[in-house]
Amino acid sequence: MMMILKAKNPHFLLQSTKPPNDKTHSNKHKRKSIPSVTACQCLLRNSDAGKLVHEFDPKVPVEKAVTPPSSWYTDPSFFQEELERVFYRGWQAVGCIEHIKDPGDFFTGRLGDVEFLVCRDEKGNIRAFHNVCRHHASLLVSSGTAHKASCFVCPYHAWTYGLDGQLLKATRITGIQNFNVKDFGLIPIKVATWGPFVLLNLDKEISRHEADINTVASEWLGSCSEILSTNGVDSSLSYVCRREYTIECNWKVFCDNYLDGGYHVPYAHKGLASGLQLQSYSTKMYEKVSIQSCEGGSMDRKDDYDRLGSKALYAFIYPNFMINRYGPWMDTNLVLPLGPRKCQVVFDYFLEASLKDDKAFIEKSLEDSEQVQIEDIVLCEGVQRGLESPAYSTGRYAPTVEKAMHHFHSLLRYNLTND
């Protein structure tokens, strides 16, 4: 069953699903659980990562603060701590509703060590599961987007699961004892949607009660849900395409680059800078969101102006999701950690419906965006190499423009020291 609640803005939709009514979420079949609060605190105090965390003090104002040490971006133990205490907790954006519009549609992904599968079942409910066969742990379906299936058949031994996660067929198990088919469905993951986005929560236990969908919005966006909706972040836009980039840098390097308040734009993105009034750049911080905004360029640069519009809004949703709304376009950046010095950035592009058939405009706009991404990749990979150099330990913030970056680091520090 799926609950639907329309927010004040009719373009927004929140959905939350109830897991199959079986025993698949019994304690013995759960994903490896996160340690208790006491265990986590002891682990953090006694680990190398714990020592590194305390090298950044979020209470120091940005004007006096030094940045986190380079070890936050290079140390393998710190990276593992982030997975457990940041990415495996709370709501995480993982994809778009566009990829699961119809019954049987599904997509897969990976977040840290968690392989997941999101689908729409025969009744139209959105469901999410660990993408792992319950027989001998094979990945159930291949990775990627825009797939369709009537059921999921494991490629290893052909155990078969329904779109609701129930085990439908277990091959060649004659003679097996103490086996209850209801205990071997796919392990569910809590899933919800907001606007055009799909969210997963790897932390909270799935219950038989519907999730409080107002709580979902509150936990993910805080007080920003209405701010974003009134600024054109909504489901009315047409989906265009996806682009993916693998970058040789820590995931936070990409986030830092995004959060420098346009500091690097006039030096690294001259084409983009010509379409923006950078002196108008402003930044506001909320609970887990920061919003940067900038006025668009002048009318005499018509090509750039048409693409960027009269105002650009850049929203960073902690820890790793970015929404960019400008002119008729919206694109999102999802930064997936792949290791201490590697990440994948997934771009999804959306466009106002009136322009969805303007192929020339779309192609030119995507080319301009691609150029910015290439420039950012060069920057981020260069920063990562510098962070690994013995010449660098910590840096400083530019207080007038890098407040959002300091906010990001402070949220991360909080997550790594609190439960």
Side-chain angles (χ1 to χ4, degrees):
M1 181 178 179
M2 177 167 59
M3 285 186 67
I4 299 176
L5 174 69
K6 291 188 177 180
K8 293 180 181 180
N9 185 326
H11 295 311
F12 279 89
L13 192 67
L14 271 172
Q15 301 173 328
S16 183
T17 66
K18 182 167 72 174
N21 186 15
D22 57 31
K23 301 177 182 177
T24 56
H25 204 62
S26 62
N27 288 335
K28 66 179 180 180
H29 297 309
K30 287 181 184 177
R31 172 180 63 82
K32 294 178 180 177
S33 61
I34 296 172
S36 65
V37 173
T38 303
C40 274
Q41 290 173 338
C42 291
L43 175 64
L44 195 57
R45 282 196 298 266
N46 295 329
S47 67
D48 291 338
K51 297 175 183 177
L52 298 177
V53 168
H54 292 284
E55 292 185 20
F56 173 76
D57 186 354
K59 295 179 181 179
V60 177
V62 65
E63 294 82 3
K64 298 180 179 180
V66 295
T67 61
S70 57
S71 51
W72 277 33
Y73 301 80
T74 60
D75 190 278
S77 68
F78 192 89
F79 176 76
Q80 289 300 318
E81 202 75 38
E82 288 177 326
L83 292 181
E84 288 292 333
R85 302 174 67 88
V86 177
F87 289 98
Y88 296 164
R89 303 186 180 193
W91 292 102
Q92 307 286 337
V94 296
C96 305
I97 294 177
E98 173 69 22
H99 296 135
I100 46 170
K101 290 191 302 183
D102 302 313
D105 289 349
F106 73 92
F107 67 85
T108 65
R110 180 183 176 97
L111 185 56
D113 296 326
V114 177
E115 301 279 354
F116 63 83
L117 160 67
V118 180
C119 69
R120 193 179 290 273
D121 69 17
E122 296 94 336
K123 296 180 180 180
N125 299 323
I126 298 176
R127 297 181 180 271
F129 307 97
H130 289 268
N131 182 22
V132 178
C133 180
R134 298 296 303 282
H135 179 219
H136 284 320
S138 170
L139 288 185
L140 186 60
V141 291
S142 59
S143 61
T145 59
H147 294 298
K148 198 172 188 69
S150 59
C151 61
F152 303 117
V153 181
C154 178
Y156 198 7
H157 299 110
W159 280 36
T160 302
Y161 303 85
L163 299 176
D164 60 359
Q166 294 187 32
L167 178 61
L168 301 179
K169 179 181 178 181
T171 59
R172 304 184 70 172
I173 59 170
T174 302
I176 193 171
Q177 298 180 16
N178 302 322
F179 180 81
N180 186 337
V181 66
K182 292 183 179 181
D183 291 339
F184 283 85
L186 298 178
I187 304 297
I189 299 172
K190 185 172 281 189
V191 61
T193 67
W194 187 88
F197 312 124
V198 177
L199 314 175
L200 295 185
N201 192 325
L202 302 173
D203 178 18
K204 296 187 175 181
E205 291 190 10
I206 296 180
S207 70
R208 295 187 179 184
H209 301 287
E210 299 292 349
D212 181 339
I213 48 188
N214 289 317
T215 300
V216 173
S218 176
E219 289 179 352
W220 192 50
L221 296 173
S223 59
C224 281
S225 58
E226 189 170 349
I227 294 172
L228 293 177
S229 65
T230 56
N231 280 277
V233 180
D234 59 58
S235 299
S236 67
L237 302 174
S238 296
Y239 185 81
V240 178
C241 67
R242 167 170 288 192
R243 301 279 175 85
E244 298 179 352
Y245 305 86
T246 299
I247 308 177
E248 296 294 327
C249 71
N250 185 274
W251 68 278
K252 296 186 295 298
V253 171
F254 189 92
C255 295
D256 289 351
N257 179 69
Y258 185 89
L259 293 169
D260 76 353
Y263 196 171
H264 73 285
V265 171
Y267 314 110
H269 305 309
K270 298 188 184 301
L272 175 62
S274 66
L276 295 171
Q277 297 180 31
L278 293 173
Q279 72 278 8
S280 70
Y281 225 99
S282 64
T283 303
K284 293 183 179 180
M285 267 76 66
Y286 302 87
E287 297 93 336
K288 293 184 178 181
V289 178
S290 60
I291 296 179
Q292 303 171 84
S293 58
C294 184
E295 299 298 322
S298 61
M299 290 296 292
D300 60 346
R301 290 297 308 273
K302 193 170 189 309
D303 288 342
D304 286 337
Y305 183 83
D306 284 345
R307 184 175 78 89
L308 297 175
S310 60
K311 187 173 184 179
L313 177 146
Y314 307 104
F316 177 82
I317 302 171
Y318 178 83
N320 65 330
F321 191 58
M322 301 148 215
I323 304 173
N324 313 303
R325 188 69 170 92
Y326 50 95
W329 284 96
M330 179 174 76
D331 63 67
T332 61
N333 316 356
L334 176 62
V335 187
L336 300 172
L338 299 180
R341 69 178 326 273
K342 181 179 288 189
C343 66
Q344 182 185 52
V345 183
V346 179
F347 281 72
D348 284 303
Y349 291 89
F350 305 79
L351 182 64
E352 291 180 0
S354 61
L355 292 169
K356 66 179 182 179
D357 296 322
D358 190 337
K359 295 183 179 179
F361 176 73
I362 292 174
E363 183 177 345
K364 178 62 168 61
S365 297
L366 291 176
E367 286 178 0
D368 291 344
S369 178
E370 175 80 7
Q371 180 60 37
V372 174
Q373 311 327 319
I374 292 172
E375 292 164 354
D376 273 334
I377 289 172
V378 172
L379 292 176
C380 290
E381 292 187 340
V383 168
Q384 183 66 36
R385 293 175 65 180
L387 287 165
E388 294 168 352
S389 165
Y392 184 89
S393 176
T394 61
R396 295 295 302 271
Y397 298 97
T400 60
V401 288
E402 294 185 317
K403 296 185 290 292
M405 188 190 302
H406 181 261
H407 182 242
F408 166 54
H409 296 156
S410 298
L411 288 171
L412 185 62
R413 167 63 154 71
Y414 178 84
N415 266 177
L416 291 169
T417 55
N418 292 273
D419 289 277

